[in-house]
Amino acid sequence: ARKVVEKDITLSIATLVKRNLEDAKNVTVRFTRMGDAGVAMTDRVGAAIKAQADLFISIHVNAGFEKEAAGYELYFPGFGAQEAAKGAPKGESAAIVRDMVRTKHLNESVRFAQILQKNLDPVFPRQARGLRSAPVPILKNFTIPAVILETGFATNPNDRRKLQDESVQASVAKAIADSVREFFQ
């Protein structure tokens, strides 16, 4: 929208996140895309799985049909997509424990999203959008904590200005990096 190119903003933020985490002893940042080449969502998931990632963050710029849509959004895998433990009587302790282990990444996705929300709110207010459970295809294939961050709306004049501002990009990146540190403490 009006000279805002998602790939430029998201790569800038991701690069700054990596720079912010360079001194973290327990964190290694890997990118699913570094240049101007498109990478299919399935390939992104595959790259995270191959790297044995402990957390997946997909950074995007949102767009809406109206100029009023504003603020960031955080998506995490929905619990509704998970099936209950099969073949076990309701309430069986072993089945409940198996289900908790199987869905641990969902709880951890929500925990990370809450941490990120807390750190992003002062930087780029969410405008009552916030956390959203969503059956987003890329998220349903993970068994690790995963979130999609829509940093703001390129179709909103105020968000667009913020997204293009390097100091705001740096602040968003710092909020993400701080959230990663807190998540792994």
Side-chain angles (χ1 to χ4, degrees), residues 115-181:
I115 293 168
L116 185 52
Q117 177 180 333
K118 174 191 72 170
N119 290 326
L120 273 176
D121 275 350
V123 175
F124 204 103
R126 60 190 151 98
Q127 308 289 322
R129 301 193 81 79
L131 301 179
R132 295 174 177 228
S133 167
V136 180
I138 190 172
L139 294 178
K140 74 178 183 175
N141 296 316
F142 278 111
T143 57
I144 61 170
V147 298
I148 293 176
L149 168 61
E150 295 279 0
T151 55
F153 283 81
T155 48
N156 178 290
N158 291 328
D159 278 10
R160 186 171 49 248
R161 275 190 293 280
K162 287 180 188 177
L163 291 168
Q164 292 175 301
D165 184 323
E166 290 179 6
S167 68
V168 172
Q169 291 174 14
S171 295
V172 168
K174 184 178 182 318
I176 296 169
D178 290 348
S179 299
V180 169
R181 287 177 196 276

Side-chain angles (χ1 to χ4, degrees), residues 4-13 61 151 163-164 169:
V4 174
V5 182
E6 179 179 29
K7 64 183 178 182
D8 296 337
I9 293 168
T10 58
L11 190 55
S12 172
I13 291 171
V61 173
T151 55
L163 291 168
Q164 292 175 301
Q169 291 174 14

